[in-house]
Amino acid sequence: MLTSAQLEEFERTGFLKGDVVLSDEEVEKLRRELDDVIEGKTVNKPILNHNMLDGGMYDNMKMTVSERVIQIVNIWMASDAFLQHAANPRICEEIAQLCNTDEVRIWHDQIQYKPPVSGGPTGWHQDHPLWPIIQPANLVSAWVALDDAVIENGCMWMVPGSHKWGNQQKYLASDKDFMPYHKQPELLPEDAVVEAVPFEIKKGQVGYHHCLTWHGSPHNKSQLKRRAIAVHYMPGHTRYEPTANHPMHDYVRVKPGELLTGDHFPLVYTRSSSAETV
Ligand SMILES: O=C(O)CCC(=O)C(=O)O
């Protein structure tokens, strides 16, 4: 359960470090499962399992071809351990507090594994503009580190307060040191300060971020792995409102304008009893 000071901090900055929520044994189990999924050893498969940098999404970021960010989407569909993780009662309750909602569903999950030395960057972005089939923009993600995520191995960086600046995705860019800038700063609120801060997260710890907070993570040139599981959670009032495509689109069974419910968007928290459907 988050304190009112933590809720106030999240409201002000758009991100928050929570507690360590996984024991060493739980982290080890998820690491083993992750290896099995990456190697295609599980019976059920996730929706995506690929090098995210192959798609050309970050073509402007000067990468060598050998750089990799192994992106897995919906590992919960391939691994019961990751489904149980996504339904972690403490995380789900804290998400409900941060979204100010009585009901929480999984929108989708995501691994971005940056291997040692060859780990590539994740460009500056806001999540919600990359999810053009859901509204409104008040989702919150829980990013749990499976290795200490530090500056050296490419931890995420966040821009405090940027979740209040609306959809700026098409104006976001990086300078040569990976720091973010806005291509037309006159479009930002007068008091906006574009200054990124590192968001280091310990192994087993959870970090929360709002779906409009500007964030990105640089290369991992260290000898350390950088593994983590992000679960993107949606409040129960989230609607299916398609304006462009998205990998989850194929799994939607409701009509435009309706609440986004269904087997592929499991209910993991209700105010009276948590994790009742998983
Ligand atoms: O893992 C990363 O470095 C980026 C993850 C991310 O963009 C997210 O969880 O929204």
Side-chain angles (χ1 to χ4, degrees), residues 52 58 69 110-114 122-123 125 127 131 141-143 154-158 209 215-218 226 228-232:
M52 186 175 89
Y58 301 120
V69 177
Q110 173 163 207
I111 301 271
Q112 289 192 17
Y113 165 42
K114 293 178 194 278
T122 303
H125 67 282
D127 292 332
W131 297 336
S141 298
W143 195 100
C155 70
M156 285 198 289
W157 289 63
M158 301 276 163
H209 64 272
H215 59 290
S217 52
R226 205 225 65 174
I229 170 69
V231 183
H232 309 302

Side-chain angles (χ1 to χ4, degrees), residues 95-107 128 133-140 210-211 233-241 254-261 265-267 269-271:
I95 288 283
Q97 287 183 279
L98 293 168
C99 293
N100 195 18
T101 183
D102 288 341
E103 243 183 37
V104 175
R105 289 183 180 276
I106 301 172
W107 158 228
H128 188 260
I133 66 172
I134 51 171
Q135 291 292 348
N138 53 8
L139 291 80
V140 174
H210 187 275
C211 65
Y233 292 99
M234 54 182 172
H237 59 256
T238 306
R239 299 180 314 275
Y240 172 54
E241 296 276 2
V254 300
K255 296 194 179 63
E258 291 183 350
L259 294 181
L260 185 47
T261 58
F265 307 99
L267 183 66
Y269 176 88
T270 58
R271 178 78 59 199

Side-chain angles (χ1 to χ4, degrees), residues 26-42 44 46 48-50 70-76 78-82 109-115 144-147 225-230:
E26 288 167 325
V27 168
E28 271 314 317
K29 178 158 192 204
L30 293 178
R31 286 174 171 178
R32 284 196 300 274
E33 293 275 316
L34 174 58
D35 286 346
D36 284 351
V37 173
I38 289 176
E39 289 164 26
K41 289 185 183 160
T42 55
N44 297 320
L48 288 178
N49 179 7
H50 68 154
I70 309 298
Q71 183 189 40
I72 298 173
V73 169
N74 270 14
I75 196 168
W76 72 259
S79 157
D80 281 345
F82 275 99
D109 70 26
Q110 173 163 207
I111 301 271
Q112 289 192 17
Y113 165 42
K114 293 178 194 278
V144 176
L146 300 179
D147 297 291
K225 294 182 176 181
R226 205 225 65 174
R227 292 164 290 191
I229 170 69

Side-chain angles (χ1 to χ4, degrees), residues 1-2 88-98 269 271:
M1 186 105 174
L2 298 171
N88 179 305
R90 168 129 189 226
I91 294 176
C92 292
E93 181 181 48
E94 293 183 349
I95 288 283
Q97 287 183 279
L98 293 168
Y269 176 88
R271 178 78 59 199

